[in-house]
mmCIF file with all atom_site columns, all heavy atoms in Angstrom:
data_model
loop_
_atom_site.group_PDB
_atom_site.id
_atom_site.type_symbol
_atom_site.label_atom_id
_atom_site.label_alt_id
_atom_site.label_comp_id
_atom_site.label_asym_id
_atom_site.label_entity_id
_atom_site.label_seq_id
_atom_site.pdbx_PDB_ins_code
_atom_site.Cartn_x
_atom_site.Cartn_y
_atom_site.Cartn_z
_atom_site.occupancy
_atom_site.B_iso_or_equiv
_atom_site.pdbx_formal_charge
_atom_site.auth_seq_id
_atom_site.auth_comp_id
_atom_site.auth_asym_id
_atom_site.auth_atom_id
_atom_site.pdbx_PDB_model_num
ATOM 1   N N   . VAL A 1 1  ? 0.852   -1.183 0.000  1.00 94.00 ? 790 VAL A N   1
ATOM 2   C CA  . VAL A 1 1  ? 0.000   0.000  0.000  1.00 94.00 ? 790 VAL A CA  1
ATOM 3   C C   . VAL A 1 1  ? 0.891   1.236  0.000  1.00 94.00 ? 790 VAL A C   1
ATOM 4   O O   . VAL A 1 1  ? 1.949   1.254  0.631  1.00 94.00 ? 790 VAL A O   1
ATOM 5   C CB  . VAL A 1 1  ? -0.951  0.000  1.232  1.00 94.00 ? 790 VAL A CB  1
ATOM 6   C CG1 . VAL A 1 1  ? -0.166  0.011  2.528  1.00 94.00 ? 790 VAL A CG1 1
ATOM 7   C CG2 . VAL A 1 1  ? -1.922  1.165  1.181  1.00 94.00 ? 790 VAL A CG2 1
ATOM 8   N N   . SER A 1 2  ? 0.489   2.243  -0.746 1.00 95.00 ? 791 SER A N   1
ATOM 9   C CA  . SER A 1 2  ? 1.299   3.453  -0.857 1.00 95.00 ? 791 SER A CA  1
ATOM 10  C C   . SER A 1 2  ? 0.874   4.485  0.184  1.00 95.00 ? 791 SER A C   1
ATOM 11  O O   . SER A 1 2  ? -0.242  4.446  0.716  1.00 95.00 ? 791 SER A O   1
ATOM 12  C CB  . SER A 1 2  ? 1.173   4.059  -2.255 1.00 95.00 ? 791 SER A CB  1
ATOM 13  O OG  . SER A 1 2  ? -0.110  4.651  -2.434 1.00 95.00 ? 791 SER A OG  1
ATOM 14  N N   . GLU A 1 3  ? 1.781   5.410  0.434  1.00 96.00 ? 792 GLU A N   1
ATOM 15  C CA  . GLU A 1 3  ? 1.492   6.532  1.334  1.00 96.00 ? 792 GLU A CA  1
ATOM 16  C C   . GLU A 1 3  ? 0.278   7.316  0.836  1.00 96.00 ? 792 GLU A C   1
ATOM 17  O O   . GLU A 1 3  ? -0.595  7.702  1.619  1.00 96.00 ? 792 GLU A O   1
ATOM 18  C CB  . GLU A 1 3  ? 2.731   7.427  1.383  1.00 96.00 ? 792 GLU A CB  1
ATOM 19  C CG  . GLU A 1 3  ? 2.683   8.585  2.334  1.00 96.00 ? 792 GLU A CG  1
ATOM 20  C CD  . GLU A 1 3  ? 3.959   9.401  2.276  1.00 96.00 ? 792 GLU A CD  1
ATOM 21  O OE1 . GLU A 1 3  ? 4.999   8.864  1.848  1.00 96.00 ? 792 GLU A OE1 1
ATOM 22  O OE2 . GLU A 1 3  ? 3.910   10.577 2.661  1.00 96.00 ? 792 GLU A OE2 1
ATOM 23  N N   . ALA A 1 4  ? 0.211   7.519  -0.500 1.00 97.00 ? 793 ALA A N   1
ATOM 24  C CA  . ALA A 1 4  ? -0.927  8.241  -1.077 1.00 97.00 ? 793 ALA A CA  1
ATOM 25  C C   . ALA A 1 4  ? -2.235  7.500  -0.822 1.00 97.00 ? 793 ALA A C   1
ATOM 26  O O   . ALA A 1 4  ? -3.268  8.116  -0.527 1.00 97.00 ? 793 ALA A O   1
ATOM 27  C CB  . ALA A 1 4  ? -0.716  8.448  -2.574 1.00 97.00 ? 793 ALA A CB  1
ATOM 28  N N   . ASP A 1 5  ? -2.202  6.171  -0.930 1.00 95.00 ? 794 ASP A N   1
ATOM 29  C CA  . ASP A 1 5  ? -3.419  5.371  -0.687 1.00 95.00 ? 794 ASP A CA  1
ATOM 30  C C   . ASP A 1 5  ? -3.875  5.495  0.763  1.00 95.00 ? 794 ASP A C   1
ATOM 31  O O   . ASP A 1 5  ? -5.079  5.613  1.045  1.00 95.00 ? 794 ASP A O   1
ATOM 32  C CB  . ASP A 1 5  ? -3.158  3.897  -1.014 1.00 95.00 ? 794 ASP A CB  1
ATOM 33  C CG  . ASP A 1 5  ? -3.001  3.652  -2.505 1.00 95.00 ? 794 ASP A CG  1
ATOM 34  O OD1 . ASP A 1 5  ? -3.503  4.471  -3.291 1.00 95.00 ? 794 ASP A OD1 1
ATOM 35  O OD2 . ASP A 1 5  ? -2.362  2.647  -2.869 1.00 95.00 ? 794 ASP A OD2 1
ATOM 36  N N   . LEU A 1 6  ? -2.923  5.466  1.697  1.00 97.00 ? 795 LEU A N   1
ATOM 37  C CA  . LEU A 1 6  ? -3.261  5.577  3.114  1.00 97.00 ? 795 LEU A CA  1
ATOM 38  C C   . LEU A 1 6  ? -3.896  6.932  3.418  1.00 97.00 ? 795 LEU A C   1
ATOM 39  O O   . LEU A 1 6  ? -4.897  7.020  4.144  1.00 97.00 ? 795 LEU A O   1
ATOM 40  C CB  . LEU A 1 6  ? -2.012  5.380  3.971  1.00 97.00 ? 795 LEU A CB  1
ATOM 41  C CG  . LEU A 1 6  ? -1.420  3.968  4.014  1.00 97.00 ? 795 LEU A CG  1
ATOM 42  C CD1 . LEU A 1 6  ? -0.079  3.972  4.735  1.00 97.00 ? 795 LEU A CD1 1
ATOM 43  C CD2 . LEU A 1 6  ? -2.387  3.001  4.703  1.00 97.00 ? 795 LEU A CD2 1
ATOM 44  N N   . LEU A 1 7  ? -3.326  7.995  2.845  1.00 98.00 ? 796 LEU A N   1
ATOM 45  C CA  . LEU A 1 7  ? -3.860  9.335  3.096  1.00 98.00 ? 796 LEU A CA  1
ATOM 46  C C   . LEU A 1 7  ? -5.233  9.510  2.442  1.00 98.00 ? 796 LEU A C   1
ATOM 47  O O   . LEU A 1 7  ? -6.118  10.154 3.007  1.00 98.00 ? 796 LEU A O   1
ATOM 48  C CB  . LEU A 1 7  ? -2.876  10.389 2.589  1.00 98.00 ? 796 LEU A CB  1
ATOM 49  C CG  . LEU A 1 7  ? -1.558  10.466 3.366  1.00 98.00 ? 796 LEU A CG  1
ATOM 50  C CD1 . LEU A 1 7  ? -0.564  11.374 2.657  1.00 98.00 ? 796 LEU A CD1 1
ATOM 51  C CD2 . LEU A 1 7  ? -1.791  10.960 4.794  1.00 98.00 ? 796 LEU A CD2 1
ATOM 52  N N   . TRP A 1 8  ? -5.400  8.925  1.250  1.00 98.00 ? 797 TRP A N   1
ATOM 53  C CA  . TRP A 1 8  ? -6.707  8.994  0.586  1.00 98.00 ? 797 TRP A CA  1
ATOM 54  C C   . TRP A 1 8  ? -7.768  8.257  1.398  1.00 98.00 ? 797 TRP A C   1
ATOM 55  O O   . TRP A 1 8  ? -8.892  8.740  1.556  1.00 98.00 ? 797 TRP A O   1
ATOM 56  C CB  . TRP A 1 8  ? -6.604  8.418  -0.822 1.00 98.00 ? 797 TRP A CB  1
ATOM 57  C CG  . TRP A 1 8  ? -7.893  8.494  -1.575 1.00 98.00 ? 797 TRP A CG  1
ATOM 58  C CD1 . TRP A 1 8  ? -8.845  7.528  -1.691 1.00 98.00 ? 797 TRP A CD1 1
ATOM 59  C CD2 . TRP A 1 8  ? -8.400  9.623  -2.295 1.00 98.00 ? 797 TRP A CD2 1
ATOM 60  N NE1 . TRP A 1 8  ? -9.906  7.966  -2.438 1.00 98.00 ? 797 TRP A NE1 1
ATOM 61  C CE2 . TRP A 1 8  ? -9.664  9.251  -2.827 1.00 98.00 ? 797 TRP A CE2 1
ATOM 62  C CE3 . TRP A 1 8  ? -7.909  10.900 -2.563 1.00 98.00 ? 797 TRP A CE3 1
ATOM 63  C CZ2 . TRP A 1 8  ? -10.429 10.110 -3.597 1.00 98.00 ? 797 TRP A CZ2 1
ATOM 64  C CZ3 . TRP A 1 8  ? -8.679  11.767 -3.323 1.00 98.00 ? 797 TRP A CZ3 1
ATOM 65  C CH2 . TRP A 1 8  ? -9.919  11.378 -3.833 1.00 98.00 ? 797 TRP A CH2 1
ATOM 66  N N   . ASP A 1 9  ? -7.398  7.081  1.918  1.00 97.00 ? 798 ASP A N   1
ATOM 67  C CA  . ASP A 1 9  ? -8.340  6.301  2.724  1.00 97.00 ? 798 ASP A CA  1
ATOM 68  C C   . ASP A 1 9  ? -8.699  7.052  4.006  1.00 97.00 ? 798 ASP A C   1
ATOM 69  O O   . ASP A 1 9  ? -9.875  7.098  4.400  1.00 97.00 ? 798 ASP A O   1
ATOM 70  C CB  . ASP A 1 9  ? -7.722  4.947  3.071  1.00 97.00 ? 798 ASP A CB  1
ATOM 71  C CG  . ASP A 1 9  ? -8.652  4.092  3.923  1.00 97.00 ? 798 ASP A CG  1
ATOM 72  O OD1 . ASP A 1 9  ? -9.561  3.458  3.363  1.00 97.00 ? 798 ASP A OD1 1
ATOM 73  O OD2 . ASP A 1 9  ? -8.481  4.093  5.160  1.00 97.00 ? 798 ASP A OD2 1
ATOM 74  N N   . LEU A 1 10 ? -7.709  7.658  4.646  1.00 98.00 ? 799 LEU A N   1
ATOM 75  C CA  . LEU A 1 10 ? -7.984  8.420  5.869  1.00 98.00 ? 799 LEU A CA  1
ATOM 76  C C   . LEU A 1 10 ? -8.893  9.606  5.559  1.00 98.00 ? 799 LEU A C   1
ATOM 77  O O   . LEU A 1 10 ? -9.851  9.885  6.303  1.00 98.00 ? 799 LEU A O   1
ATOM 78  C CB  . LEU A 1 10 ? -6.664  8.904  6.486  1.00 98.00 ? 799 LEU A CB  1
ATOM 79  C CG  . LEU A 1 10 ? -6.773  9.828  7.700  1.00 98.00 ? 799 LEU A CG  1
ATOM 80  C CD1 . LEU A 1 10 ? -7.564  9.176  8.833  1.00 98.00 ? 799 LEU A CD1 1
ATOM 81  C CD2 . LEU A 1 10 ? -5.377  10.231 8.192  1.00 98.00 ? 799 LEU A CD2 1
ATOM 82  N N   . ALA A 1 11 ? -8.614  10.308 4.455  1.00 98.00 ? 800 ALA A N   1
ATOM 83  C CA  . ALA A 1 11 ? -9.462  11.438 4.060  1.00 98.00 ? 800 ALA A CA  1
ATOM 84  C C   . ALA A 1 11 ? -10.892 10.972 3.786  1.00 98.00 ? 800 ALA A C   1
ATOM 85  O O   . ALA A 1 11 ? -11.860 11.653 4.147  1.00 98.00 ? 800 ALA A O   1
ATOM 86  C CB  . ALA A 1 11 ? -8.873  12.129 2.828  1.00 98.00 ? 800 ALA A CB  1
ATOM 87  N N   . SER A 1 12 ? -11.045 9.809  3.156  1.00 98.00 ? 801 SER A N   1
ATOM 88  C CA  . SER A 1 12 ? -12.382 9.282  2.853  1.00 98.00 ? 801 SER A CA  1
ATOM 89  C C   . SER A 1 12 ? -13.143 8.930  4.126  1.00 98.00 ? 801 SER A C   1
ATOM 90  O O   . SER A 1 12 ? -14.352 9.173  4.230  1.00 98.00 ? 801 SER A O   1
ATOM 91  C CB  . SER A 1 12 ? -12.260 8.051  1.953  1.00 98.00 ? 801 SER A CB  1
ATOM 92  O OG  . SER A 1 12 ? -11.631 8.386  0.725  1.00 98.00 ? 801 SER A OG  1
ATOM 93  N N   . ARG A 1 13 ? -12.432 8.352  5.109  1.00 98.00 ? 802 ARG A N   1
ATOM 94  C CA  . ARG A 1 13 ? -13.082 8.026  6.382  1.00 98.00 ? 802 ARG A CA  1
ATOM 95  C C   . ARG A 1 13 ? -13.525 9.304  7.100  1.00 98.00 ? 802 ARG A C   1
ATOM 96  O O   . ARG A 1 13 ? -14.616 9.358  7.682  1.00 98.00 ? 802 ARG A O   1
ATOM 97  C CB  . ARG A 1 13 ? -12.127 7.219  7.260  1.00 98.00 ? 802 ARG A CB  1
ATOM 98  C CG  . ARG A 1 13 ? -11.864 5.818  6.749  1.00 98.00 ? 802 ARG A CG  1
ATOM 99  C CD  . ARG A 1 13 ? -10.722 5.117  7.491  1.00 98.00 ? 802 ARG A CD  1
ATOM 100 N NE  . ARG A 1 13 ? -10.333 3.895  6.804  1.00 98.00 ? 802 ARG A NE  1
ATOM 101 C CZ  . ARG A 1 13 ? -10.749 2.669  7.136  1.00 98.00 ? 802 ARG A CZ  1
ATOM 102 N NH1 . ARG A 1 13 ? -11.566 2.510  8.177  1.00 98.00 ? 802 ARG A NH1 1
ATOM 103 N NH2 . ARG A 1 13 ? -10.349 1.621  6.448  1.00 98.00 ? 802 ARG A NH2 1
ATOM 104 N N   . LEU A 1 14 ? -12.683 10.324 7.060  1.00 98.00 ? 803 LEU A N   1
ATOM 105 C CA  . LEU A 1 14 ? -13.037 11.597 7.692  1.00 98.00 ? 803 LEU A CA  1
ATOM 106 C C   . LEU A 1 14 ? -14.186 12.259 6.947  1.00 98.00 ? 803 LEU A C   1
ATOM 107 O O   . LEU A 1 14 ? -15.139 12.763 7.565  1.00 98.00 ? 803 LEU A O   1
ATOM 108 C CB  . LEU A 1 14 ? -11.811 12.510 7.721  1.00 98.00 ? 803 LEU A CB  1
ATOM 109 C CG  . LEU A 1 14 ? -11.997 13.902 8.329  1.00 98.00 ? 803 LEU A CG  1
ATOM 110 C CD1 . LEU A 1 14 ? -12.500 13.812 9.764  1.00 98.00 ? 803 LEU A CD1 1
ATOM 111 C CD2 . LEU A 1 14 ? -10.684 14.694 8.272  1.00 98.00 ? 803 LEU A CD2 1
ATOM 112 N N   . GLU A 1 15 ? -14.133 12.235 5.613  1.00 98.00 ? 804 GLU A N   1
ATOM 113 C CA  . GLU A 1 15 ? -15.202 12.826 4.809  1.00 98.00 ? 804 GLU A CA  1
ATOM 114 C C   . GLU A 1 15 ? -16.535 12.143 5.081  1.00 98.00 ? 804 GLU A C   1
ATOM 115 O O   . GLU A 1 15 ? -17.577 12.799 5.212  1.00 98.00 ? 804 GLU A O   1
ATOM 116 C CB  . GLU A 1 15 ? -14.853 12.719 3.325  1.00 98.00 ? 804 GLU A CB  1
ATOM 117 C CG  . GLU A 1 15 ? -15.902 13.346 2.417  1.00 98.00 ? 804 GLU A CG  1
ATOM 118 C CD  . GLU A 1 15 ? -15.685 13.019 0.961  1.00 98.00 ? 804 GLU A CD  1
ATOM 119 O OE1 . GLU A 1 15 ? -15.121 11.947 0.667  1.00 98.00 ? 804 GLU A OE1 1
ATOM 120 O OE2 . GLU A 1 15 ? -16.093 13.821 0.103  1.00 98.00 ? 804 GLU A OE2 1
ATOM 121 N N   . GLY A 1 16 ? -16.534 10.813 5.169  1.00 96.00 ? 805 GLY A N   1
ATOM 122 C CA  . GLY A 1 16 ? -17.769 10.078 5.419  1.00 96.00 ? 805 GLY A CA  1
ATOM 123 C C   . GLY A 1 16 ? -18.404 10.451 6.742  1.00 96.00 ? 805 GLY A C   1
ATOM 124 O O   . GLY A 1 16 ? -19.634 10.634 6.833  1.00 96.00 ? 805 GLY A O   1
ATOM 125 N N   . ARG A 1 17 ? -17.599 10.571 7.774  1.00 96.00 ? 806 ARG A N   1
ATOM 126 C CA  . ARG A 1 17 ? -18.124 10.934 9.095  1.00 96.00 ? 806 ARG A CA  1
ATOM 127 C C   . ARG A 1 17 ? -18.639 12.372 9.110  1.00 96.00 ? 806 ARG A C   1
ATOM 128 O O   . ARG A 1 17 ? -19.677 12.668 9.709  1.00 96.00 ? 806 ARG A O   1
ATOM 129 C CB  . ARG A 1 17 ? -17.041 10.733 10.157 1.00 96.00 ? 806 ARG A CB  1
ATOM 130 C CG  . ARG A 1 17 ? -16.807 9.266  10.508 1.00 96.00 ? 806 ARG A CG  1
ATOM 131 C CD  . ARG A 1 17 ? -15.492 9.068  11.254 1.00 96.00 ? 806 ARG A CD  1
ATOM 132 N NE  . ARG A 1 17 ? -15.391 7.707  11.764 1.00 96.00 ? 806 ARG A NE  1
ATOM 133 C CZ  . ARG A 1 17 ? -15.072 6.649  11.014 1.00 96.00 ? 806 ARG A CZ  1
ATOM 134 N NH1 . ARG A 1 17 ? -14.822 6.810  9.715  1.00 96.00 ? 806 ARG A NH1 1
ATOM 135 N NH2 . ARG A 1 17 ? -14.982 5.441  11.566 1.00 96.00 ? 806 ARG A NH2 1
ATOM 136 N N   . MET A 1 18 ? -17.906 13.273 8.455  1.00 96.00 ? 807 MET A N   1
ATOM 137 C CA  . MET A 1 18 ? -18.347 14.665 8.423  1.00 96.00 ? 807 MET A CA  1
ATOM 138 C C   . MET A 1 18 ? -19.647 14.810 7.634  1.00 96.00 ? 807 MET A C   1
ATOM 139 O O   . MET A 1 18 ? -20.552 15.554 8.040  1.00 96.00 ? 807 MET A O   1
ATOM 140 C CB  . MET A 1 18 ? -17.248 15.540 7.814  1.00 96.00 ? 807 MET A CB  1
ATOM 141 C CG  . MET A 1 18 ? -16.061 15.759 8.740  1.00 96.00 ? 807 MET A CG  1
ATOM 142 S SD  . MET A 1 18 ? -14.834 16.897 8.046  1.00 96.00 ? 807 MET A SD  1
ATOM 143 C CE  . MET A 1 18 ? -13.870 17.272 9.523  1.00 96.00 ? 807 MET A CE  1
ATOM 144 N N   . ALA A 1 19 ? -19.754 14.099 6.506  1.00 95.00 ? 808 ALA A N   1
ATOM 145 C CA  . ALA A 1 19 ? -20.975 14.168 5.700  1.00 95.00 ? 808 ALA A CA  1
ATOM 146 C C   . ALA A 1 19 ? -22.165 13.595 6.468  1.00 95.00 ? 808 ALA A C   1
ATOM 147 O O   . ALA A 1 19 ? -23.276 14.134 6.413  1.00 95.00 ? 808 ALA A O   1
ATOM 148 C CB  . ALA A 1 19 ? -20.781 13.415 4.384  1.00 95.00 ? 808 ALA A CB  1
ATOM 149 N N   . ALA A 1 20 ? -21.933 12.516 7.215  1.00 94.00 ? 809 ALA A N   1
ATOM 150 C CA  . ALA A 1 20 ? -23.017 11.897 7.988  1.00 94.00 ? 809 ALA A CA  1
ATOM 151 C C   . ALA A 1 20 ? -23.541 12.828 9.066  1.00 94.00 ? 809 ALA A C   1
ATOM 152 O O   . ALA A 1 20 ? -24.716 12.753 9.450  1.00 94.00 ? 809 ALA A O   1
ATOM 153 C CB  . ALA A 1 20 ? -22.522 10.593 8.621  1.00 94.00 ? 809 ALA A CB  1
ATOM 154 N N   . ILE A 1 21 ? -22.705 13.717 9.518  1.00 94.00 ? 810 ILE A N   1
ATOM 155 C CA  . ILE A 1 21 ? -23.108 14.618 10.595 1.00 94.00 ? 810 ILE A CA  1
ATOM 156 C C   . ILE A 1 21 ? -23.705 15.909 10.041 1.00 94.00 ? 810 ILE A C   1
ATOM 157 O O   . ILE A 1 21 ? -24.143 16.781 10.796 1.00 94.00 ? 810 ILE A O   1
ATOM 158 C CB  . ILE A 1 21 ? -21.896 14.890 11.514 1.00 94.00 ? 810 ILE A CB  1
ATOM 159 C CG1 . ILE A 1 21 ? -22.310 14.961 12.981 1.00 94.00 ? 810 ILE A CG1 1
ATOM 160 C CG2 . ILE A 1 21 ? -21.146 16.147 11.118 1.00 94.00 ? 810 ILE A CG2 1
ATOM 161 C CD1 . ILE A 1 21 ? -21.141 14.823 13.943 1.00 94.00 ? 810 ILE A CD1 1
ATOM 162 N N   . GLY A 1 22 ? -23.714 16.016 8.684  1.00 94.00 ? 811 GLY A N   1
ATOM 163 C CA  . GLY A 1 22 ? -24.358 17.160 8.050  1.00 94.00 ? 811 GLY A CA  1
ATOM 164 C C   . GLY A 1 22 ? -23.427 18.245 7.563  1.00 94.00 ? 811 GLY A C   1
ATOM 165 O O   . GLY A 1 22 ? -23.893 19.307 7.136  1.00 94.00 ? 811 GLY A O   1
ATOM 166 N N   . MET A 1 23 ? -22.127 17.988 7.571  1.00 96.00 ? 812 MET A N   1
ATOM 167 C CA  . MET A 1 23 ? -21.182 18.999 7.101  1.00 96.00 ? 812 MET A CA  1
ATOM 168 C C   . MET A 1 23 ? -21.047 18.928 5.586  1.00 96.00 ? 812 MET A C   1
ATOM 169 O O   . MET A 1 23 ? -21.219 17.872 4.975  1.00 96.00 ? 812 MET A O   1
ATOM 170 C CB  . MET A 1 23 ? -19.807 18.789 7.751  1.00 96.00 ? 812 MET A CB  1
ATOM 171 C CG  . MET A 1 23 ? -19.841 18.817 9.267  1.00 96.00 ? 812 MET A CG  1
ATOM 172 S SD  . MET A 1 23 ? -18.225 18.500 10.033 1.00 96.00 ? 812 MET A SD  1
ATOM 173 C CE  . MET A 1 23 ? -17.454 20.096 9.854  1.00 96.00 ? 812 MET A CE  1
ATOM 174 N N   . GLU A 1 24 ? -20.766 20.062 4.964  1.00 97.00 ? 813 GLU A N   1
ATOM 175 C CA  . GLU A 1 24 ? -20.446 20.094 3.538  1.00 97.00 ? 813 GLU A CA  1
ATOM 176 C C   . GLU A 1 24 ? -18.959 19.809 3.395  1.00 97.00 ? 813 GLU A C   1
ATOM 177 O O   . GLU A 1 24 ? -18.128 20.574 3.879  1.00 97.00 ? 813 GLU A O   1
ATOM 178 C CB  . GLU A 1 24 ? -20.759 21.464 2.940  1.00 97.00 ? 813 GLU A CB  1
ATOM 179 C CG  . GLU A 1 24 ? -22.225 21.797 2.854  1.00 97.00 ? 813 GLU A CG  1
ATOM 180 C CD  . GLU A 1 24 ? -22.422 23.106 2.115  1.00 97.00 ? 813 GLU A CD  1
ATOM 181 O OE1 . GLU A 1 24 ? -22.114 23.172 0.903  1.00 97.00 ? 813 GLU A OE1 1
ATOM 182 O OE2 . GLU A 1 24 ? -22.851 24.077 2.758  1.00 97.00 ? 813 GLU A OE2 1
ATOM 183 N N   . THR A 1 25 ? -18.635 18.707 2.732  1.00 97.00 ? 814 THR A N   1
ATOM 184 C CA  . THR A 1 25 ? -17.232 18.308 2.629  1.00 97.00 ? 814 THR A CA  1
ATOM 185 C C   . THR A 1 25 ? -16.765 18.324 1.182  1.00 97.00 ? 814 THR A C   1
ATOM 186 O O   . THR A 1 25 ? -17.521 17.997 0.260  1.00 97.00 ? 814 THR A O   1
ATOM 187 C CB  . THR A 1 25 ? -17.013 16.907 3.209  1.00 97.00 ? 814 THR A CB  1
ATOM 188 O OG1 . THR A 1 25 ? -17.857 15.976 2.529  1.00 97.00 ? 814 THR A OG1 1
ATOM 189 C CG2 . THR A 1 25 ? -17.337 16.878 4.699  1.00 97.00 ? 814 THR A CG2 1
ATOM 190 N N   . PHE A 1 26 ? -15.509 18.700 0.997  1.00 97.00 ? 815 PHE A N   1
ATOM 191 C CA  . PHE A 1 26 ? -14.880 18.721 -0.317 1.00 97.00 ? 815 PHE A CA  1
ATOM 192 C C   . PHE A 1 26 ? -13.480 18.127 -0.175 1.00 97.00 ? 815 PHE A C   1
ATOM 193 O O   . PHE A 1 26 ? -12.817 18.319 0.843  1.00 97.00 ? 815 PHE A O   1
ATOM 194 C CB  . PHE A 1 26 ? -14.755 20.154 -0.847 1.00 97.00 ? 815 PHE A CB  1
ATOM 195 C CG  . PHE A 1 26 ? -16.062 20.886 -0.972 1.00 97.00 ? 815 PHE A CG  1
ATOM 196 C CD1 . PHE A 1 26 ? -16.622 21.527 0.131  1.00 97.00 ? 815 PHE A CD1 1
ATOM 197 C CD2 . PHE A 1 26 ? -16.728 20.945 -2.180 1.00 97.00 ? 815 PHE A CD2 1
ATOM 198 C CE1 . PHE A 1 26 ? -17.820 22.211 0.038  1.00 97.00 ? 815 PHE A CE1 1
ATOM 199 C CE2 . PHE A 1 26 ? -17.934 21.624 -2.286 1.00 97.00 ? 815 PHE A CE2 1
ATOM 200 C CZ  . PHE A 1 26 ? -18.484 22.259 -1.183 1.00 97.00 ? 815 PHE A CZ  1
ATOM 201 N N   . LEU A 1 27 ? -13.040 17.431 -1.199 1.00 97.00 ? 816 LEU A N   1
ATOM 202 C CA  . LEU A 1 27 ? -11.660 16.958 -1.257 1.00 97.00 ? 816 LEU A CA  1
ATOM 203 C C   . LEU A 1 27 ? -10.861 17.894 -2.150 1.00 97.00 ? 816 LEU A C   1
ATOM 204 O O   . LEU A 1 27 ? -11.375 18.401 -3.160 1.00 97.00 ? 816 LEU A O   1
ATOM 205 C CB  . LEU A 1 27 ? -11.596 15.527 -1.792 1.00 97.00 ? 816 LEU A CB  1
ATOM 206 C CG  . LEU A 1 27 ? -12.164 14.449 -0.862 1.00 97.00 ? 816 LEU A CG  1
ATOM 207 C CD1 . LEU A 1 27 ? -12.198 13.099 -1.567 1.00 97.00 ? 816 LEU A CD1 1
ATOM 208 C CD2 . LEU A 1 27 ? -11.351 14.342 0.423  1.00 97.00 ? 816 LEU A CD2 1
#
């Protein structure tokens, strides 16, 4: 697994939680 993949996965997990709570999220 690459460093970029790990950071993308972490960003996706954070984005999912923020969106579920009603925040407007952008990458």
